[in-house]
């Protein structure tokens, strides 16, 4: 119960990695505010079953005014946010000269600018309390590139740069700011890419998964939301109080190549 008495806001936590991180933080006693689209009742019940207080706000992370409303809700109902996990993210795959402008704008807004808005609004409270954790869920694509992912790679590199900057601005405080850089994790976001590969190659879903891993991830294993949750718990611990401005890969060796 490392995190009893703390409140964690996890953006994009109705699914995938965000939900995995929310559950790991809740297992350590943190109260949780969920955010994201789709069914919220299932995820809320899963978190509540761990015996912590759980809230939900449906802010669209591409909309600064909705983010402001979400932060006001966390302040009012939970007394502010001690742990901020900037996780909401989307993907679109296309060559840059065919990249839809609207998708570029959405990816930059959701995968990058939303972290600026949540952070600028959460930091004053964290500094006042003398303790805080900001975890930015970037990606291996915050460190290296892949073709046809220009907006995503730009946003994730931006998020890693943002992480370093805010870590420097908070370096003498009890607030730490770090990024986590997962390799392939089998969530709905990646399943779409598996499906596209299976359809394009006329191969099975299992074969498409194998090919996807073999291309980039030397362990040939998907990283799991649970592993990312446990890394998040570590970064919230006192042992990690001097880990600042890092982009911590959990990528099966992807970026070692
Ligand atoms: P996912 O699609 O399973 O979950 C994304 C979450 O974000 C969902 O809860 C969704 O409702 C929410 N969301 C999407 N748009 C939103 C918006 N406008 N406002 C609020 N919420 C919104 O995806 P995931 O794989 O769990 O991805 C989570 C994060 O991890 C993303 O930032 C992604 O870039 C990153 N990531 C994923 C992988 C991977 O292999 N899956 C690898 C590296 C990084």
């Amino acid at each position: 119960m490392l995190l009893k008495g703390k409140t964690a806001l996890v953006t994009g936590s109705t699914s995938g990695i965000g939900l995995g991180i929310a559950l790991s933080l809740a297992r350590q006693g943190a109260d949780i505010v969920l955010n994201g689209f789709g069914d919220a009742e299932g995820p809320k019940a899963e978190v509540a079953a761990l015996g912590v207080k759980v809230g939900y706000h449906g802010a669209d992370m591409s909309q600064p005014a909705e983010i402001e409303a979400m932060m006001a809700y966390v302040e009012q109902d939970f007394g502010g946010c001690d742990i901020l996990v900037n996780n909401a993210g989307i993907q679109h795959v296309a060559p840059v000269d065919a990249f839809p402008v609207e998708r570029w704008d959405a990816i930059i807004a959701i995968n990058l600018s939303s972290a600026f808005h949540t952070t600028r609004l959460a930091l004053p409270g964290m500094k006042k309390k003398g303790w805080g954790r900001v975890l930015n869920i970037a990606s291996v694509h915050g460190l290296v590139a892949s073709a046809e992912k220009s907006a995503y790679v730009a946003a994730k590199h931006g998020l890693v740069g943002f992480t370093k900057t805010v870590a420097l601005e908070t370096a003498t405080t009890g607030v730490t700011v770090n990024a986590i850089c997962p390799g392939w994790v089998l969530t709905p976001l990646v399943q779409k890419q598996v499906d596209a590969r299976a359809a394009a190659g006329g191969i099975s879903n299992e074969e498409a998964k194998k090919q996807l891993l073999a291309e980039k991830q030397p362990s040939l294993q998907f990283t799991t939301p649970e592993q990312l949750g446990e890394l998040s718990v570590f970064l919230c611990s006192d042992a990690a109080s001097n880990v600042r401005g890092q982009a911590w890969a959990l990528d099966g060796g992807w970026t070692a190549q």
Side-chain angles (χ1 to χ4, degrees), residues 38-60:
D39 170 47
E41 291 311 312
K44 266 175 84 176
E46 267 189 81
V47 174
L50 297 168
V52 300
K53 180 176 169 183
V54 57
Y56 168 77
H57 196 284
D60 178 339

Side-chain angles (χ1 to χ4, degrees), residues 12 14-15 17 37 60-61 87 110 138 152 156 182-183 185 187-188 190:
T14 48
S15 159
I17 294 169
F37 297 152
D60 178 339
M61 299 303 289
N87 168 79
I110 296 164
Y152 189 87
K156 295 298 188 180
V185 187
T187 64
V190 164

Side-chain angles (χ1 to χ4, degrees), residues 93-105:
V93 181
V96 69
D97 48 357
F99 212 91
V101 171
E102 169 277 325
R103 284 293 84 195
W104 173 279
D105 289 343

